[in-house]
Amino acid sequence: MTRPAPHFHALSGLLPIHVLGVSPEGHAVIVVKTSGAKAMVDAVFKGKDSTLTPAQLEDHLALVNEFLVKAAAPDPLPAGSQVQIYDLAGFKLSYAMGGDIMSLFQLLMEFGTYYPERLHQAIILNAPSWFNVPWKMITSFLDANTRAKIVVVRSPGAALQQLSHHLHGEANVPVAWGGKCALPFEQYPGHRQLLQLVEKLNAGSGGP
């Protein structure tokens, strides 16, 4: 967590990853909003934004991962892992066509494996009925241990008990998921800490 991150905000604008907090067991809790997946694929994998590359996306994910492991949830294993929430609201069937989107999802599902055994659980919310087909393709890239850690639900209400546990009660679960917290994801304390780190890294680099 020492190099500047000049593309952080551009990549976050395409496919937001927000830090929601730390679970009672010491696991960092994040949410990935997948509605921007096509925009990310077009910009990064199809070259529609000449300033963004797959290598920069990997660096971006690595920075977030380092923050989670070394700052947000630095406890030694078995604590210090990640609860990754993937919200598929707004994710369209047309997005799931083609190999590029599969590459993106493979990369995201490997997000928790930059450090061995750092994925504690992945919860996929708002999964549409057609998601079963691309999901089979995605899981074919994952090992059995990782697949066993993934929960897929059609409605966030079906996972409210788990979400409430990871976020210390319904008061901290977003309203959109059946909880009582109306804060924008950007204003969760854990995410503000990440933004402060990025600002510090970029302060002397001339980056945005």
Side-chain angles (χ1 to χ4, degrees):
M1 295 190 295
T2 57
R3 294 187 300 166
H7 303 288
F8 179 89
H9 294 292
L11 291 166
S12 294
L14 292 171
L15 192 70
I17 300 174
H18 293 101
V19 183
L20 301 186
V22 178
S23 76
E25 294 80 17
H27 307 305
V29 183
I30 66 163
V31 57
V32 181
K33 298 285 288 182
T34 64
S35 57
K38 186 177 186 302
M40 176 69 83
V41 165
D42 287 346
V44 175
F45 292 95
K46 294 185 177 179
K48 292 189 177 181
D49 185 331
S50 60
T51 66
L52 300 175
T53 67
Q56 289 162 351
L57 175 58
E58 289 196 42
D59 287 345
H60 175 74
L61 295 178
L63 170 63
V64 176
N65 231 318
E66 274 198 277
F67 170 79
L68 296 176
V69 170
K70 296 181 179 179
D75 295 332
L77 297 174
S81 296
Q82 299 168 16
V83 175
Q84 301 174 6
I85 303 166
Y86 294 86
D87 189 346
L88 269 60
F91 187 83
K92 299 178 182 179
L93 175 59
S94 59
Y95 296 176
M97 302 301 164
D100 290 327
I101 199 72
M102 294 298 107
S103 297
L104 174 61
F105 269 92
Q106 181 186 1
L107 184 61
L108 288 173
M109 294 309 299
E110 290 173 350
F111 179 45
T113 61
Y114 279 96
Y115 297 89
E117 295 302 313
R118 286 295 178 180
L119 178 63
H120 175 70
Q121 185 180 39
I123 304 173
I124 298 178
L125 305 177
N126 293 308
S129 57
W130 52 261
F131 186 67
N132 289 339
V133 175
W135 181 238
K136 288 180 181 178
M137 297 175 63
I138 294 166
T139 53
S140 68
F141 293 109
L142 307 176
D143 60 48
N145 185 49
T146 301
R147 289 196 299 269
K149 298 176 180 180
I150 301 171
V151 176
V152 181
V153 297
R154 295 283 299 275
S155 167
L160 183 57
Q161 185 175 356
Q162 294 179 71
L163 295 170
S164 297
H165 172 77
H166 293 315
L167 293 172
H168 300 265
E170 288 187 27
N172 299 310
V173 176
V175 170
W177 298 346
K180 300 177 181 178
C181 184
L183 275 180
F185 289 139
E186 293 84 357
Q187 293 183 20
Y188 274 72
H191 195 73
R192 291 205 308 268
Q193 187 182 359
L194 172 59
L195 293 178
Q196 289 167 1
L197 169 65
V198 171
E199 183 178 0
K200 179 180 178 182
L201 292 175
N202 289 336
S205 70

